[in-house]
Amino acid sequence: MGRRLRIGIDTGGTFTDVVALDEDTGEIITTKTPSTPADPAEGFLTAVAKVTAAAGGDAAVTGLSHGTTVATNRLLEDRLEDLGLITTEGFEHVLEIARQSVPDGYGNSYFWVKPPRIVPVHRVRAVGGRLDHTGAELRPFDEAGAAEAARWFRDQGIRAIGVCFLHSYADPGHELAMREVLRREHPEAVVSLSCEVLREYREYERSVTTLVDAAVKPVMSRYLRRITERAPARLHVMKSNGGVLSADEVVHQPITTVLSGPAAGALGAAYVAGRAGLGSVVTLDGGGTSTDVAVVLDGEPTLTTEGAIGRHPVKIPMIDIVTVGAGGGSVAWVSPESTMKVGPRSAGADPGPLCYGGGGTEPTVTDAHAVLGRIPPHLLGGEIPLDVPAARAGLEALAGRLGLTVERAATGILEISAWNQANAIRQITVKRGLDVRDYPLVAFGGSGPLLCCRLLDVLGLPAALVPVNPGNLSAFGLLTVDVKNDYVRTRVARDAELDLPAVAAIFAELEAEAAASLDREGFPAARHRFARTVDLRYYGQAFEVRVPAPPGPVSEGFRAEVLRRFHDAHEALYGYCYRDDARHPVEWVNHRVSGIGPIDRPRLRERPSGDKDPSRALTGTREVHFGDGWVAAPVYERALLAPGDVVEGPAIVQEFGSTLPLHPGFRAEVDAYGNLLVTR
């Protein structure tokens, strides 16, 4: 009998990473293959074939977990044509009015121009009918007007439609009736209802979130259909909330996948860091196109519902991730003011950096690393040879425009890239009340470890952890993820007037919905887990603070515990709270339940200690420029290092999918699991 493999596949902008877990022995097999941006499904299927071949021709695939950027790219590239909105009569301009907020604050808003709406006003149709905030019907649903709107979209050839009626979070009846009208009058339409996408208040965010779901539903449906038709096992897709869901289910809620790949990386980093004894860390996932950073507190990545993809606010539960255009393929260019810039434009996988020899014409971050000797003259163990002379020629042209030497220009590119990454880390820590100097860095992704020494200097971080196979950590993270679905209801009430039986009924309804989803995923009732959270605020505040709520009966003790957690969280976030102050009553706003189906995680095994002599891993030397001139740096093969080994910089530690340039004044120690702990 052959091996039984559970496979995780993360499709990035440049490479598709794949990790297979042998379910009988616990062995982990990793590899990479170039991504295929024109048809991501081809790269996915190639990755499956490549890893199963590496495991042996008779290997059987028992499960597939996938992190994908298909939905994200659709939004970032603004390819959202053929999209319409149906809303409540009188609210046709909800997208035009939007919010009062201005990017970067009012000090920089003088020249700010409101971006185009996700749906222009001429593709918005209103339908009569009105509910109040409790769900009570004030005016009946206008079925004749609904039919007229449906026929208008049909005649215009608009087939992706979002439906968002005022207060449908309280009662979905009018939206469900609108769907029936669309099925009758416009059967080819792909329809998203706000009561199914985001059943909570704030009509602008709910409208945009629903429209984003409708926009990506057709492309995600086609993509998942292509994969599932040829996949050797049942497919699960990574969601932004830190869980996975079967492809059959996720096709009905594609918006939940908008941060699919980065979420898997944060979870994989949290798992590896936890086993290494680091409960709270900053994660940095460096890819070819961008870098994603997140914060892990006590073993769990932080969540938010205030996220955005590009210019579109997406109010769904997602791991709190900040993305910057600072990947290996980020292009270096000269601004009209004759200053050097790096990113956010990327050479991607096609044509790629100059040194890939794929027709690239502009120098990138990867080219700068290659010219300075910080990466080997080939990638993926020799599969991708690098054309270093081509990279140097491109950098010479850039350096000539700036009046710099090639080495100064290349060092400048890497310095700008490091500061871009550092600013992203500050954004996700300092802006949230966290002292970045308290958190070690987990650096992974193909380009993540390349600048980690510089980031320790810039940010004052205590250490950096570079996991085993860092280039494949996002794919590994997919094997550590539980099945998870989120449900929400809005019911605004002051704490003094809180109807505990009504709150209990809301949680019971949400838990029943979550249980039904877990049943469809094949989890028996005994394995169902439910996590409750509540969004609260002080009366008069515009936004809420989310806190975990205890399981069990919704009693006075439940209420008191939620209030205590809210006051504590508010004080931690903002430096103050109004505990026991009747002048500032608390409001309960949103009630949430996550249904969780736990999976068996891979077990990281401790490795046998070596003789603390890293010279066994020494493969030679290479001329490397660390910013202060060329040095002959020893090159170590990471796979030959053992726990207890210490490598002193300047040095290069390289492996199949990534490289760690160890700057002068830094050291890397191998821990019991094979991780590299980098310190000054």
Side-chain angles (χ1 to χ4, degrees):
M1 182 177 176
R3 292 185 171 195
R4 298 185 311 124
L5 301 180
R6 188 150 55 90
I7 299 175
I9 298 177
D10 176 55
T11 300
T14 305
F15 290 105
T16 294
D17 306 327
V18 55
V19 171
L21 170 69
D22 187 317
E23 295 201 277
D24 299 313
T25 67
E27 181 187 355
I28 292 174
I29 304 154
T30 65
T31 189
K32 283 173 174 276
T33 187
S35 295
T36 51
D39 183 1
E42 284 300 319
F44 175 94
L45 295 166
T46 300
V48 173
K50 190 172 181 180
V51 79
T52 51
D58 57 348
V61 180
T62 60
L64 288 165
S65 293
H66 182 32
T68 174
T69 56
V70 168
T72 310
N73 293 343
R74 184 83 174 180
L75 298 172
L76 292 176
E77 295 165 13
D78 266 339
R79 292 185 286 126
L80 302 177
E81 68 281 354
D82 189 26
L83 186 61
L85 170 65
I86 298 175
T87 189
T88 300
E89 190 175 52
F91 286 81
E92 296 91 329
H93 293 87
V94 61
L95 300 178
E96 299 298 319
I97 296 170
R99 288 287 180 228
Q100 189 178 357
S101 59
V102 173
D104 301 322
Y106 287 95
N108 298 321
S109 65
Y110 187 79
F111 297 104
W112 181 72
V113 177
K114 184 185 290 188
R117 305 295 91 190
I118 186 171
V119 172
V121 70
H122 69 271
R123 292 212 301 262
V124 177
R125 285 295 175 268
V127 173
R130 184 71 178 268
L131 308 175
D132 70 10
H133 70 284
T134 69
E137 188 173 79
L138 302 178
R139 290 197 300 273
F141 176 68
D142 180 4
E143 185 155 347
E148 182 180 346
R151 288 192 293 268
W152 185 87
F153 283 116
R154 181 195 64 199
D155 295 342
Q156 296 296 316
I158 296 172
R159 292 186 293 179
I161 300 171
V163 179
C164 185
F165 291 150
L166 194 66
H167 302 309
S168 59
Y169 58 84
D171 186 327
H174 286 189
E175 288 193 357
L176 296 174
M178 186 69 235
R179 177 160 60 190
E180 292 306 311
V181 172
L182 284 163
R183 282 175 174 166
R184 185 180 70 238
E185 302 289 344
H186 190 4
E188 293 183 354
V190 174
V191 180
S192 293
L193 305 183
S194 78
C195 64
E196 295 177 345
V197 174
L198 183 68
R199 198 167 168 180
E200 71 179 84
Y201 85 142
R202 292 198 171 100
E203 64 276 10
Y204 171 64
E205 286 81 0
R206 186 157 48 92
S207 297
V208 175
T209 304
T210 303
L211 287 165
V212 167
D213 186 77
V216 300
K217 194 172 281 185
V219 67
M220 278 296 292
S221 297
R222 290 192 297 270
Y223 174 66
L224 292 177
R225 186 165 55 249
R226 284 207 64 201
I227 289 178
T228 53
E229 286 173 352
R230 298 165 61 187
R234 189 181 189 192
L235 176 68
H236 282 80
V237 180
M238 184 73 205
K239 298 172 61 181
S240 310
N241 67 354
V244 293
L245 204 60
S246 67
D248 295 339
E249 290 282 315
V250 86
V251 75
H252 301 299
Q253 42 181 296
I255 191 174
T256 61
T257 69
V258 291
L259 282 178
S260 179
L267 285 158
Y271 183 71
V272 170
R275 293 306 301 267
L278 303 174
S280 297
V281 295
V282 173
T283 72
L284 182 141
D285 182 359
T289 305
S290 61
T291 295
D292 306 302
V293 299
V295 174
V296 174
L297 299 178
D298 298 323
E300 296 291 336
T302 55
L303 293 172
T304 183
T305 56
E306 304 299 327
I309 305 297
R311 59 185 175 86
H312 309 296
V314 178
K315 197 172 171 61
I316 59 169
M318 60 177 67
I319 291 177
D320 195 0
I321 292 170
V322 171
T323 300
V324 291
S330 295
V331 171
W333 51 286
V334 179
S335 74
E337 298 80 25
S338 297
T339 60
M340 185 160 63
K341 307 284 187 181
V342 178
R345 188 161 49 85
S346 174
D350 184 14
L354 291 168
C355 59
Y356 281 15
T361 58
E362 298 174 288
T364 66
V365 171
T366 296
D367 294 313
H369 281 297
V371 166
L372 296 178
R374 299 191 191 182
I375 58 176
H378 52 77
L379 299 180
L380 305 189
E383 288 185 29
I384 302 179
L386 299 184
D387 187 348
V388 179
R392 187 172 188 88
L395 278 167
E396 284 175 348
L398 179 75
R401 295 179 60 189
L402 295 167
L404 301 173
T405 64
V406 171
E407 289 79 8
R408 286 280 291 166
T411 302
I413 290 171
L414 301 187
E415 187 74 358
I416 293 170
S417 185
W419 278 90
N420 286 340
Q421 293 181 3
N423 288 336
I425 293 172
R426 286 196 180 99
Q427 186 176 339
I428 207 165
T429 53
V430 177
K431 285 190 175 182
R432 289 155 175 77
L434 304 174
D435 189 338
V436 67
R437 295 168 297 181
D438 294 336
Y439 297 91
L441 180 73
V442 180
F444 60 99
S447 66
L450 289 171
L451 295 172
C452 73
C453 289
R454 189 68 188 111
L455 289 172
L456 293 188
D457 274 339
V458 170
L459 294 169
L461 302 172
L465 186 79
V466 181
V468 178
N469 296 315
N472 293 69
L473 190 67
S474 291
F476 173 79
L478 289 163
L479 302 178
T480 72
V481 179
D482 296 325
V483 170
K484 185 178 179 184
N485 230 344
D486 300 307
Y487 302 88
V488 59
R489 293 289 184 279
T490 295
R491 187 180 185 277
V492 182
R494 293 199 198 186
D495 179 66
E497 303 159 2
L498 191 66
D499 184 343
L500 289 175
V503 173
I506 290 173
F507 279 125
E509 181 184 350
L510 297 177
E511 287 171 5
E513 289 186 44
S517 174
L518 292 173
D519 288 340
R520 292 192 296 271
E521 293 289 315
F523 287 90
R527 297 188 66 196
H528 292 187
R529 286 175 40 217
F530 304 105
R532 298 170 172 174
T533 53
V534 185
D535 299 348
L536 302 98
R537 66 189 179 195
Y538 294 116
Y539 179 72
Q541 287 183 327
F543 294 96
E544 301 80 42
V545 173
R546 179 168 310 150
V547 296
V554 179
S555 60
E556 282 296 332
F558 171 93
R559 172 185 159 276
E561 177 61 17
V562 171
L563 287 179
R564 183 191 68 78
R565 294 179 183 184
F566 166 66
H567 293 306
D568 290 348
H570 198 283
E571 188 167 25
L573 279 170
Y574 302 114
Y576 72 96
C577 69
Y578 294 118
R579 203 186 312 266
D580 303 320
D581 188 341
R583 296 171 301 172
H584 299 280
V586 173
E587 276 189 325
W588 296 55
V589 180
N590 296 314
H591 307 72
R592 303 177 187 272
V593 166
S594 296
I596 301 166
I599 57 96
D600 295 326
R601 289 175 170 79
R603 294 194 181 117
L604 296 179
R605 298 176 177 176
E606 293 192 16
R607 302 183 176 194
S609 298
D611 53 9
K612 297 188 178 182
D613 180 11
S615 62
R616 86 181 79 79
L618 191 62
T619 61
T621 61
R622 185 164 70 239
E623 289 295 313
V624 183
H625 197 289
F626 286 104
D628 295 322
W630 293 94
V631 297
V635 178
Y636 294 88
E637 182 59 44
R638 182 171 180 179
L640 301 178
L641 293 172
D645 287 348
V646 175
V647 176
E648 302 279 352
I652 299 292
V653 182
Q654 61 190 39
E655 55 189 303
F656 176 77
S658 190
T659 300
L660 170 65
L662 201 59
H663 289 227
F666 286 82
R667 67 199 299 266
E669 182 173 358
V670 185
D671 74 2
Y673 296 98
N675 302 305
L676 295 174
L677 188 66
V678 180
T679 54
R680 290 180 191 78

